[in-house]
Structure formats: C-alpha cells, structure tokens
C-alpha cells in the first residue's frame, strides 16, 4: 500500500475509521530529519499491507499537529481503533519504526 497524505478533510475516514493500524508521520518539507525518515516510512508503507501509512505536513495541517500536540518533528504516531498506542519523536532507523507497530 502506498503512503496517504492526511489532511483534516480525510482524517476521520483514513485514520479514525481505519480497520488497520495507522502509522502517521508528522513532517515538514524544511525539516532535515524528516527528509531522512520519509523514505523509510515510504518503504514501510510499501512492505506492510497490514497497516495504513499516512503523512501529515504540519505546515499545511496545523489543526492536526495541534490535536496531536506535535512540538517537534519528525514525530511518528501509531493508532489502533482511533487511539494512540505508540509515539516517537525524532529520526529513527527502520527497525525502530517497525518495532513501534
């Protein structure tokens, strides 16, 4: 499955109503560590059809960033049944991201 851009308009459907666990990557284009994590998150999306992977651009979606109390990026959040079950701030290796799931 490919990565899905998450916005306030599709958040309810894609994240809260998802039957699969959801990995959200909160990022911004100007963030160096975000650019390091982004290809890893894309790989996870391609390799794990059992989860949904979304990216939230914090510059374009400040309401979602605020809702999740994002103060540093990149922040990775794992949700199951609409509830946060895991969260990590900062660049992470693939093994660490997979362990969050």
């Amino acid at each position: 499955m490919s990565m899905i851009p998450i916005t306030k308009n599709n958040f309810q459907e894609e994240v809260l109503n998802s039957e699969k666990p959801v990995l959200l990557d909160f990022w911004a284009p100007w963030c160096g560590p975000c650019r390091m994590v982004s290809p890893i998150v894309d790989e996870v999306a391609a390799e794990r059809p059992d989860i949904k992977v979304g990216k939230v651009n914090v510059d374009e979606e400040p309401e979602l960033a605020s809702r999740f109390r994002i103060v540093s990026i990149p922040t990775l959040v794992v949700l199951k049944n609409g509830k946060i079950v895991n969260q990590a701030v900062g660049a992470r290796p693939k093994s660490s991201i997979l362990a969050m799931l």
Side-chain angles (χ1 to χ4, degrees), residues 18-30:
S18 176
E19 294 180 4
K20 298 178 180 181
V22 180
L23 171 64
L24 289 180
D25 175 14
F26 288 86
W27 70 285
W30 47 263

Side-chain angles (χ1 to χ4, degrees), residues 56-67:
V56 181
N57 182 328
V58 298
D59 290 341
E60 295 175 358
E61 299 297 331
E63 291 172 33
L64 288 177
S66 177
R67 179 176 182 167

Side-chain angles (χ1 to χ4, degrees), residues 7-76:
T7 67
K8 64 183 180 210
N9 296 329
N10 70 359
F11 180 78
Q12 180 77 35
E13 178 186 340
E14 295 290 353
V15 178
L16 296 182
N17 295 344
S18 176
E19 294 180 4
K20 298 178 180 181
V22 180
L23 171 64
L24 289 180
D25 175 14
F26 288 86
W27 70 285
W30 47 263
C31 165
C34 298
R35 289 194 302 267
M36 291 169 35
V37 169
S38 184
I40 299 169
V41 171
D42 292 342
E43 277 181 36
V44 171
E47 294 171 3
R48 294 285 304 266
D50 59 318
I51 63 168
K52 188 179 283 191
V53 177
K55 292 187 181 182
V56 181
N57 182 328
V58 298
D59 290 341
E60 295 175 358
E61 299 297 331
E63 291 172 33
L64 288 177
S66 177
R67 179 176 182 167
F68 283 85
R69 295 183 174 92
I70 303 301
V71 292
S72 295
I73 52 175
T75 294
L76 300 173

